[in-house]
Amino acid sequence: MKKIDAPNTKAYRLVYPKLVVLVSCIDPTSGKPNIITVAWAVPLSINPPMVGILIAPRRYSHEIISKAREFVVNIPTIEILDKTIKCGKVSGRRHDKFSEFGLTSKPAKVVKAPIIEECVAHLECKLTDQITTGDHTLFVGEVVAVYANEGVFDGEFMNVKKSRQIYQVGGDSFTTLSGELYKQET
Ligand SMILES: Cc1cc2nc3c(=O)[nH]c(=O)nc-3n(C[C@H](O)[C@H](O)[C@H](O)COP(=O)(O)O)c2cc1C
C-alpha cells in the first residue's frame, strides 16, 4: 500500500476520533464555576487512578485549574452535543456557560468544582502535576471520586449502547459508536 505523507503539524489528527469530555472547574477567588470542552483527555494511571487533560494556556479554565488545583471530567452524550460544542466556542471570562447553555451544576462529592448533571459519568480530580507540552499544559489529576448514571457503567465497561458518547473526528465533525462490539475469543 502506498503511504501518503501528512504535514507534521497535523499529526494529532491521525490519533482522532477522540472522546469529547466537559471539564468543570470553579474559580476559588470569585466562586464562579466554568466549563471547558476538551478532546485531549487521557487515562494516565490505573492505581493510583489518574487522568490527564490538555489545555492551552490562553483558556480561562487554564487559569482556574492552576489556581484551584482541582477539576471534574464529565462525560457528555450526543443528546447534549449542541451544548457541548457551545462550551468549546466561548470563554467563561465573558460567559456563564451553565446558565447560558442550560446545564445544571450539582455539588461534587469531594472537590469544590461542581459536576454537570446532564453528563452520564463524572471523575472528580485533584491536581497533582502541571507539565508544559509544547503549546498545551498537561494537567495531571488524581481521581478522588468516580461515578456514573445507573446502567451506564457495569463495573467493568461503559455501556456504549445506552450512552452514546461524543467523538470528535476533527474540527466541527463528530460521531458516535454504533454499539457493535468485537471480542476476541481466547
Ligand atoms: C470539540 C472541542 C474540543 C476541544 N478540545 C480542547 C482541548 O482538548 N484542549 C483545549 O485547550 N481546548 C479545547 N477546545 C477549545 C476550548 O473548549 C475553547 O477554547 C473554550 O471556549 C475555552 O473556554 P474557557 O476560556 O472558558 O476555558 C475544544 C473545543 C471543542 C469544540
Side-chain angles (χ1 to χ4, degrees):
M1 181 65 74
K2 190 169 179 225
K3 308 284 183 188
I4 312 291
D5 281 340
N8 287 2
T9 51
K10 291 284 179 244
Y12 74 98
R13 281 279 166 88
L14 275 71
V15 295
Y16 274 56
K18 294 216 71 72
L19 179 73
V20 176
V21 303
L22 288 175
V23 174
S24 47
C25 48
I26 191 163
D27 187 324
T29 317
S30 66
K32 182 185 168 182
N34 191 42
I35 306 171
I36 176 172
T37 309
V38 166
W40 293 8
V42 63
L44 296 172
S45 166
I46 300 171
N47 193 12
M50 296 171 97
V51 295
I53 53 170
L54 284 128
I55 300 185
R58 64 182 175 282
R59 318 276 191 237
Y60 177 49
S61 305
H62 190 286
E63 187 185 318
I64 296 182
I65 294 168
S66 298
K67 273 198 290 184
R69 300 192 61 79
E70 50 169 52
F71 57 89
V72 181
V73 175
N74 303 270
I75 311 297
T77 54
I78 201 70
E79 290 78 14
I80 57 163
L81 175 66
D82 182 51
K83 295 169 196 256
T84 299
I85 296 173
K86 282 180 178 158
C87 287
K89 296 280 182 195
V90 299
S91 177
R93 281 197 182 92
R94 284 172 297 280
H95 293 264
D96 178 338
K97 299 190 204 181
F98 275 101
S99 65
E100 285 180 35
F101 304 145
L103 289 165
T104 314
S105 70
K106 282 267 167 76
K109 290 176 194 258
V110 177
V111 301
K112 292 192 189 77
I115 67 162
I116 304 166
E117 171 68 13
E118 288 77 8
C119 290
V120 296
H122 315 273
L123 291 80
E124 297 184 21
C125 300
K126 290 210 167 170
L127 189 71
T128 61
D129 220 338
Q130 191 170 325
I131 300 157
T132 302
T133 60
D135 56 12
H136 278 65
T137 301
L138 170 63
F139 288 103
V140 177
E142 175 155 9
V143 180
V144 290
V146 57
Y147 40 98
N149 288 6
E150 212 173 352
V152 165
F153 182 69
D154 68 5
E156 210 53 56
F157 300 115
M158 289 295 279
N159 187 328
V160 291
K161 278 190 184 149
K162 250 192 189 148
S163 64
R164 294 187 303 142
Q165 294 106 309
I166 303 164
Y167 289 81
Q168 185 181 25
V169 179
D172 283 333
S173 298
F174 299 88
T175 189
T176 57
L177 299 177
S178 66
E180 250 172 281
L181 288 179
Y182 300 89
K183 279 194 178 173
Q184 184 160 4
E185 300 302 329
T186 47

